[in-house]
């Protein structure tokens, strides 16, 4: 121990005479300060600082000592300075600081005492930023107790306790170091000197740190600042600092000292009240306002708040407003500005406030503030509005208008609407006292108006003040000063009446009257729309004001009378146009000219009347007969005649009665007039029929319509010629002279030649001249069908005539053979074979057969139609097989002795078709009908239109058909068997092999190609009964030679075309027999050109259809026959049965292709035709260019098979479709309410299938055969559609269109649903794998418009639902239900990518757990939803759709405890962030928020504690009361706000939670006493607040709290000698209740 210290302590103890503890604690030491310092040094050596309490040994900087105490209040604290916080920073607070001169060890011990853990044991504290700030604020608050923004500072004044200049500088350094990030603590403290500091200053203004701050720093070095602007700034609340002291260095200083800018000034002004700001601005002088306005123009950008402030400043000059010689000012609020380029009438006052744009600064401000700037015309419009309200006197109005008229060009250029504004003003004051518009008067400089308004100048023209200047008069014209074009209806009528009035005067001045009348007529002719009212029209028609034309036109003969010779003025209703003078000049007065517009406006018909023209025609006839008519008048006579005829021809209907009553001959024949019935309008050029009919001259033929109307023969037609023949026939039966006979024979031969040349149709019953062996000069005639012409050698004629069983009559030998053939006179060879002629029966519009067939071919453009139509015929005939053969044989060795030389060209390569059903008599009849098949009445037949067979004419000109004993040949062009065809309308023959074998064997080469083709064996050797058991078609390919003359088609077939034919067959493939009723097998064969025997033909493509068994199958494959029987029964009994035919099955179609034969077909060394000798390969080079190559690769296998499987469902409707089909129109059209659909399946192992889906819908329309009409459906549809004749489109209009609509809605939809039901059954039985319930549903976005009925019908039927087995169309992969038990999820959830997938998974998993076990949750793709909406079933969907609220309230929240976190959290965040208001009531009562802690269990929001709230310090993370912070979403500030709204606790606790936390204190105390004390203090403060709020439940809960140990107790203070109750408790249990 130090010697001095020991001595001091011993002396002290000896002098006290009492115990040391008592002495030191209870008695103040009276010794010197040095002894106290030594005692302090001794006392702190054992580091038991609590023993210092009560000792007056704490040395202070003011040389006094303080007593150590345990107080923690700020007012008792004694601070220990440091290097960072030196004591010099705190002048005047020496009594608050420890003595700095004490020994370092003692100082260190005291610092340790100040920093002891837990509660400090003494009042010593080390300085930190918070304590330092508090002391500085104490110093400043002591010096300046007032709150003014600026205070006066006298540096170093100790009486005022003002700090020194150096201290302020030191403070700013201190702030820069320790408070660089935040000066908020020092706000409102006077720390900013207004001027730079100097140590010698006696008085300085200090400004407080304030935010927002009004301090503006003016930097004159950067830009000079106007002196008067400084005054304005200060008046408006700013504090101007011209220079800043260097000590003011701080990163945040710019927040409190602003650079000078208009924006800053506006911010300062915005803090003033509106009233004060307005008052301050109003008090500014004119110059100050101008300076302020110019200053604000320097704004580079402007905010809405600044804009609001600027608009309220009255610093802008008003237009036209002065107060005592000074300009008046106003604000921009609600006002507009006059554009700086605008002109303004001088000395004109305004009724509204307008701001002047006097300088560039104002312009800039107006643009910045988006102030509307008025142009000159806009300002003028305001003046005009004031004029209209009487704001100006008449003189002012005249002055303004003269200014406006003078500047009208400028005004109009700026705004063309100015003319409209001024035009409506009544500013011209007339002598009568009335004010009128410019448009009420007329232009006084127009001569035509002077003439029209003679003696009316004072009432029709403007006053002199407006006519003295040409410019003003020009402006008045623009304002509507009227000219002659602008005459009104009233003006015109007044002038007309005046003209009539002048005529009735005693001494009419005709020169003036006619001049006035001509002027009015001239104006009315030009102004076509002047006259509008019916009264005016009637008056102008009746008034006599129109001048009569006095001079004859040049085309009018002088010797004819002229009405104008005696009349001057007349009314329009009694006149005609001058142009009609040649029609009525002798009977009606004419007017010089009337325009079309005048005629229209007056509804004037200045056309001559029929009786007037006919009267003039009679005068012309009389004139022609009179002596006055000379040869000089001949030309004008003809012209007048032409004009009269033209008029009569144009007015035939009106002239009907008048022409009938004509009593004179009026048809001019060139020399004289004759009656109409004796004339022919158009004679034949090469056939003279005189003396029976006379012809008109060519000059009169343009009036044929007139003469025909009058009764003339229009032209010689065949009927007239036939009438002549009939007349001659009648005459030849009577006695005739030789000359007459000779003349008549010659005439008949000429007539027949003319008929042949003109190809005029001739009936076979017409009589022709025949050869009379006994008297060649005698005329005899017989019908054509009884005659014959010789086509064989004459030497054989007598023998043939002897063998003939009927007499033969030969036509006259002067009739050429071609004419005889054309007349269809049978040839001798045809008489011998006696074929039955067949024709085509056409329905509808009649037309040439070849044209009809050509048109049909255009309707059947596809070559594949040949196969389809022949297959159709086979299927209707109940054939089970339909095969085709491409025969490449040329048959060059058997081309002689054919039925007709024309058959040679078609004796080569052909397409054969065979089916194993025979033609019935009805079939033979049907095949000759074009568009009128009687199969239409047979419900079980598909082909109903009689047009399909004609598709064979694509490839041939002469189809040949063999069935039973009959062979039919059709030759529509009549160039193959023409000599056997009697009538072009019957271009076919039918040969009976059972009756004419002997005659037919005379033409063996004709029939040899048939031998061995599909087992055909014609009896060419000897007679034998023969019938072909089937039907065989031979279709010779059209050659180039045939195509050149064919009227049906110009296409001929070469190798390329043959290949395309095969390719079409292959492409159609399975479609051919998908819906056939009977045909199950198709084969396409190929016969090489060098192979003589058809039995050696090779297979190219084979198609076979078979039915596969399924558990879900039902009914036969085809129900058409059953449906036909049922329809007959219903039609006869009128009773509808309960059950209708239906079927559902799976078929398998196998298509095999033989590629080696394909290659043979396209091989260029196997041509179909040979070229010319010069270039034999020309055809094949052409063919090679077009040949498709996809089948030519050597890598292709020799044989390939395509297998497809189809689910086909067919049904018959018993409601609307059946009713329609049994109606008259349904029977007439042969409609059958049967249809089906085919769904493409993919075959898997073990007789299992899957539905084959395609991105592009495969659906096509079938009418039992493919129609190649795309539907956009995923399935094929089949049935009795009403299709166009070519089967390329379905009908959309009339009855057929109605049927298609009914058929699709009631039959196809029913079959579609049956298919879906069968697919469901297969899926349930396990036969159908991986099946989505909507896999075969129609997608409305892809369904074509014509078939939306199917799509809509399917969705409508599905939406009906029900409990039946057939209504179960929905599945979740396990269960099948109807729409009644299905539920969808709302799109508002599904469409959101953040929550949609999770919501749907929860929906699928938990829907059935909601209490409705029979409900099924399914996916609803967008396109399926669109299908329901398109079908009008949106309401049904909504009914079955769980809304967002239903989903959350019925599915999500009831099962939230079971839902996985990754599915639950996105939905919870969605609800909290976006739907809190909707689900707040559920959220408050549902444990749904994961809490902190290891289990992260879900709790109610009200059980959670805000992690940043006041009461959060009472809990630890493991207590499970905080939101789970492992997910950032629950801990983000937005989510926390939402949870607080739901009841999460933040700053207060319930009594229950307070009691629970009180219980936790004792447990916490065992591990952390300081934390336990802190928790206890918080509990006490919360209890205290509740007591202050007078909580009614407080008394009950306080009793509970009294028994809980949660209050810490104080340990025995140092120097306390009495027993301390707290020491009786264990150290670990230092808490009490």
């Amino acid at each position: 121990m130090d010697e001095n210290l020991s001595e001091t302590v011993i002396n002290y103890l000896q002098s006290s005479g009492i115990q040391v503890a008592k002495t030191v604690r209870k008695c103040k030491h009276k010794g010197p300060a040095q002894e106290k310092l030594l005692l302090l040094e001794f006392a702190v050596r054992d580091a038991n600082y609590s023993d210092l309490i009560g000792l007056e040994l704490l040395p202070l900087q003011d040389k006094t000592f303080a007593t150590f105490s345990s107080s923690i209040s700020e007012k008792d604290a004694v601070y220990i300075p440091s290097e960072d916080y030196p004591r010099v920073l705190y002048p005047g607070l020496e009594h608050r600081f420890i003595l700095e001169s004490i020994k370092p060890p003692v100082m260190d011990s005291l610092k340790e005492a100040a920093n002891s853990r837990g509660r400090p044991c003494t009042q010593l504290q080390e300085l930190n930023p918070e304590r330092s700030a508090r002391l500085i604020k104490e110093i400043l608050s002591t010096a300046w107790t007032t709150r003014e923004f600026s205070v006066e500072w006298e540096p170093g004044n100790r009486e005022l306790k003002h700090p020194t200049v150096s201290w302020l500088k030191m403070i700013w350094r201190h702030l820069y170091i320790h408070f660089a990030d935040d000066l908020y603590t020092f706000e409102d403290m006077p720390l900013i000197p207004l001027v730079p500091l100097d140590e010698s200053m006696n008085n300085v203004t200090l400004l407080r740190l304030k935010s927002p701050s009004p301090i503006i720093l003016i930097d004159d070095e950067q830009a000079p600042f106007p002196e008067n602007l400084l005054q304005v700034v200060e008046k408006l609340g700013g504090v101007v600092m011209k220079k800043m002291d260097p000590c003011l260095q701080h990163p945040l200083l710019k927040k409190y000292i602003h650079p000078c800018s208009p924006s800053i000034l506006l911010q300062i002004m915005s803090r003033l009240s509106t009233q004060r700001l307005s008052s301050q601005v109003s008090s500014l002088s004119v110059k100050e306002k101008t300076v302020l306005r110019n200053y604000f123009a320097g704004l580079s950008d402007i905010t809405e708040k600044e804009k609001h402030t600027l608009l309220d400043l009255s610093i802008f000059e008003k237009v036209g407003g002065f107060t005592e010689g000074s300009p008046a000012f106003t604000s921009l609020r609600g006002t507009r500005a006059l554009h700086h380029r605008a002109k303004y009438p001088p000395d004109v006052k305004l009724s509204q406030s307008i701001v002047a744009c006097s300088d560039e600064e104002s312009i800039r401000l107006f643009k910045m503030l988006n102030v509307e700037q008025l142009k000159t015309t806009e300002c003028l419009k305001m003046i005009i509005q004031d004029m209209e309200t009487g704001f100006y006197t008449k003189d002012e109005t005249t002055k303004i208008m003269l200014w406006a008229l003078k500047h009208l060009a400028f005004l109009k250029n700026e705004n063309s609407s100015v003319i409209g504004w001024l035009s409506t003003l009544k500013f011209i004051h007339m002598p009568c006292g009335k004010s009128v518009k410019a448009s009420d008067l007329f232009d006084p400089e127009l001569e035509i108006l002077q003439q029209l308004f003679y003696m009316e100048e004072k009432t029709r023209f403007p006053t002199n003040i407006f006519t003295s200047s040409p410019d003003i008069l020009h402006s008045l014209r623009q304002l509507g000063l009227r000219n002659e074009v602008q005459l009104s209806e009233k003006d015109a009528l007044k002038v007309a009446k005046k003209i009539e009035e002048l005529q009735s005067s005693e001494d009419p001045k005709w020169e003036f009257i006619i001049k006035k009348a001509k002027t009015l007529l001239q104006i009315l002719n030009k102004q076509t729309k002047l006259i509008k009212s019916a009264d005016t029209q009637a008056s102008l028609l009746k008034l006599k004001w129109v001048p009569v034309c006095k001079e004859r036109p040049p085309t009018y003969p002088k010797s004819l009378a002229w009405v104008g010779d005696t009349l001057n003025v007349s009314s329009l209703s009694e006149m005609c146009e001058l142009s009609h003078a040649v029609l009525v000049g002798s009977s009606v007065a004419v007017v010089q000219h009337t325009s079309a517009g005048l005629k229209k406006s007056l509804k004037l018909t200045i056309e001559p009347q029929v009786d007037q023209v006919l009267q003039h025609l009679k005068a012309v006839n009389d004139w022609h007969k009179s002596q006055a008519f000379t040869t000089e008048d001949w030309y004008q006579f003809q012209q007048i005649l032409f004009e009269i005829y033209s008029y009569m021809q144009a007015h035939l209907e009106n002239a009907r009665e008048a022409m009938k009553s004509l009593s004179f001959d009026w048809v001019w024949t060139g020399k004289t007039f004759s009656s109409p019935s004796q004339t022919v309008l158009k004679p034949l050029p090469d056939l003279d029929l005189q003396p029976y009919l006379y012809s008109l001259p060519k000059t009169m033929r343009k009036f044929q319509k007139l003469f025909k109307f009058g009764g003339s023969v229009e032209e010689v037609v065949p009927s007239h010629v036939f009438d002549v023949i009939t007349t001659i026939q009648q005459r030849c039966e009577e006695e005739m002279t030789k000359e007459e006979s000779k003349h008549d024979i010659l005439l008949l031969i000429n007539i027949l030649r003319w008929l042949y040349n003109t190809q005029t149709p001739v009936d076979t019953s017409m009589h022709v001249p025949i050869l009379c062996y006994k008297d060649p000069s005698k005329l005899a005639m017989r019908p054509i069908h009884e005659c014959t012409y010789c086509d064989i050698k004459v030497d054989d004629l007598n023998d043939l005539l002897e063998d003939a069983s009927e007499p033969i009559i030969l036509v006259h030998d002067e009739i050429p053979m071609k004419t005889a053939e054309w007349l269809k006179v049978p040839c001798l060879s045809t008489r011998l074979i006696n074929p039955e002629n067949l024709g085509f029966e056409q329905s509808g519009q009649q037309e040439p057969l070849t044209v009809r067939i050509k048109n049909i071919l255009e309707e059947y453009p596809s070559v594949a139609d040949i196969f389809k139509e022949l297959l159709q015929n086979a299927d209707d005939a109940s054939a089970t097989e339909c095969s085709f053969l491409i025969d490449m044989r040329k048959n060059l060795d058997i081309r002689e002795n054919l039925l007709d030389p024309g058959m040679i060209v078609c004796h080569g390569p052909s397409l054969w078709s065979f089916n194993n059903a025979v033609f019935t008599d009805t079939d033979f009849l049907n095949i000759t009908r074009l568009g009128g098949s009687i199969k239409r009445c047979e419900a079980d037949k598909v082909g109903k239109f009689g047009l399909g067979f004609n598709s064979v004419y694509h490839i041939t000109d002469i189809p040949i058909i063999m069935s039973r004993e009959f062979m039919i040949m059709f030759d529509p062009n009549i160039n193959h068997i023409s000599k056997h065809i009697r009538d072009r309308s019957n271009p076919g023959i039918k040969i009976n092999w059972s009756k004419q074998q002997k005659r037919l064997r005379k033409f063996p080469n004709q029939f040899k190609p048939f031998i061995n083709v599909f087992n055909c064996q014609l009896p060419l050797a000897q007679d034998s009964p023969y019938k072909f058991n089937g039907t065989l078609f031979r279709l010779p390919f059209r050659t180039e030679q045939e195509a050149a003359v064919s009227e049906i088609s110009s296409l001929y077939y070469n190798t390329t075309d043959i290949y395309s034919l095969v390719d079409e067959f292959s492409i159609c493939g399975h479609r051919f027999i998908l819906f056939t009723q009977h045909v199950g097998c198709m084969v396409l064969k190929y016969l090489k050109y060098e192979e003589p025997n058809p039995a050696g033909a090779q297979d190219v493509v084979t198609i076979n259809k078979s039915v596969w068994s399924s558990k879900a199958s039902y009914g036969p494959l085809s129900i058409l026959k059953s449906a036909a029987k049922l329809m007959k029964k219903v039609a006869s009994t009128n009773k509808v049965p309960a059950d209708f035919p239906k079927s559902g099955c799976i078929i398998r179609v196998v298509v095999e292709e033989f590629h080696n034969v394909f290659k043979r077909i396209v091989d260029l060394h196997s041509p179909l035709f040979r070229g010319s000798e010069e270039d034999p390969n020309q055809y094949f080079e052409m063919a090679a260019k077009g040949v498709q190559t996809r089948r030519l690769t050597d890598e292709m296998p020799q044989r390939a098979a395509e297998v497809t499987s189809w689910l086909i469902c067919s049904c018959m409707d018993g409601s609307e479709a059946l009713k329609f089909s049994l109606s008259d129109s349904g029977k007439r059209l042969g409609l059958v309410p049967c249809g089906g659909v085919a769904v493409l399946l993919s075959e898997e192992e073990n007789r299992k299938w899957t539905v084959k889906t395609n991105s592009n819908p495969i659906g096509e329309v079938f009418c039992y055969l493919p129609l190649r009409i795309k539907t956009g459906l995923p399935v094929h549809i089949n049935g009795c559609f009403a299709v166009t004749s070519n089967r390329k489109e379905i009908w959309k209009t009339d009855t057929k269109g109605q049927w298609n609509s009914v058929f699709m809605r009631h039959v196809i939809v029913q079959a579609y649903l049956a298919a879906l039901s069968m697919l469901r059954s297969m899926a349930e039985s396990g036969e159908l794998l991986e099946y989505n319930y909507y896999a075969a549903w129609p997608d409305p976005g892809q369904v074509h418009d014509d078939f939306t009925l199917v799509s809509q019908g399917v969705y409508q039927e599905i939406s009906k639902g029900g409990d039946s087995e057939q209504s179960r169309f929905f599945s979740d992969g396990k269960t099948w239900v109807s729409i009644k038990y299905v539920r969808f999820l709302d799109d508002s959830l599904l469409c959101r990518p953040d929550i949609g997938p999770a919501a749907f998974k929860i929906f699928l998993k938990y829907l059935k757990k909601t209490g409705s076990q029979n409900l099924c949750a399914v996916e609803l793709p967008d396109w399926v939803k669109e299908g329901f909406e398109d079908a009008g079933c949106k309401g049904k969907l909504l009914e079955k759709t769980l809304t967002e609220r239903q989903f959350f309230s019925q599915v999500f929240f009831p099962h939230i405890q079971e839902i996985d976190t990754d599915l639950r959290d996105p939905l919870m965040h969605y609800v909290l962030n976006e739907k809190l208001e909707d689900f707040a009531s559920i959220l408050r009562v549902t444990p749904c928020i994961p809490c902190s802690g290891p289990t992260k269990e879900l709790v109610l929001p009200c059980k959670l504690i805000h992690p940043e709230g006041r009461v959060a310090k009472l809990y630890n993370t493991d207590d499970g009361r905080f939101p789970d912070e492992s997910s950032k979403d629950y801990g983000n500030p937005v989510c926390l706000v939402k949870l607080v709204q739901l009841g999460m606790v933040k700053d207060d606790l319930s009594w229950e939670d307070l009691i629970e936390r009180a219980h936790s204190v004792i447990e916490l105390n065992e591990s952390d006493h300081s934390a336990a004390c802190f928790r206890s203090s918080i509990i006490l403060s919360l209890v205290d607040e509740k007591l202050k709020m007078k909580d009614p439940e407080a008394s009950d809960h306080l009793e509970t709290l009294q028994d809980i140990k949660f209050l810490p107790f104080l340990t025995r203070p140092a120097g306390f000698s009495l027993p301390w109750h707290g020491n009786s408790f264990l150290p670990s249990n230092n808490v009490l209740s």
Side-chain angles (χ1 to χ4, degrees), residues 484-502:
E484 75 277 7
V485 179
Q486 294 164 310
L487 273 169
S488 68
E489 184 180 51
K490 184 178 179 181
D491 296 328
L493 183 59
K494 185 176 180 180
V495 172
K497 290 180 178 180
K498 187 67 176 178
I499 293 172
E500 187 174 55
E501 179 184 341
L502 293 172

Side-chain angles (χ1 to χ4, degrees), residues 1 18 149 224 254-255 273 409 426 538 712 731 767 775 916 1020 1099 1136 1164 1281 1327 1348 1455 1507 1517 1593:
M1 182 178 290
I18 57 175
F149 178 72
K254 59 185 177 182
K255 180 179 177 183
S273 66
K426 295 182 178 182
S712 296
R731 289 186 63 194
H767 285 63
D775 187 1
N916 58 356
L1020 298 182
D1099 289 349
V1136 179
L1164 297 181
F1281 285 96
E1327 291 180 304
T1348 53
H1455 304 95
T1517 301
E1593 300 179 1

Side-chain angles (χ1 to χ4, degrees), residues 1454-1490:
H1455 304 95
I1456 193 169
Q1457 298 287 351
E1458 309 169 35
I1459 298 173
D1460 294 339
T1461 303
D1462 55 346
L1463 298 179
R1464 178 195 69 213
D1465 285 350
L1467 290 170
M1468 274 305 304
H1469 298 319
Y1470 166 73
V1471 172
L1472 289 173
N1473 293 330
E1474 300 184 28
K1475 299 293 179 178
L1476 182 63
E1477 293 183 2
D1478 297 341
F1479 297 102
S1481 59
I1482 299 177
L1483 289 167
R1484 288 190 176 98
V1485 299
T1486 304
C1488 56
I1489 308 298

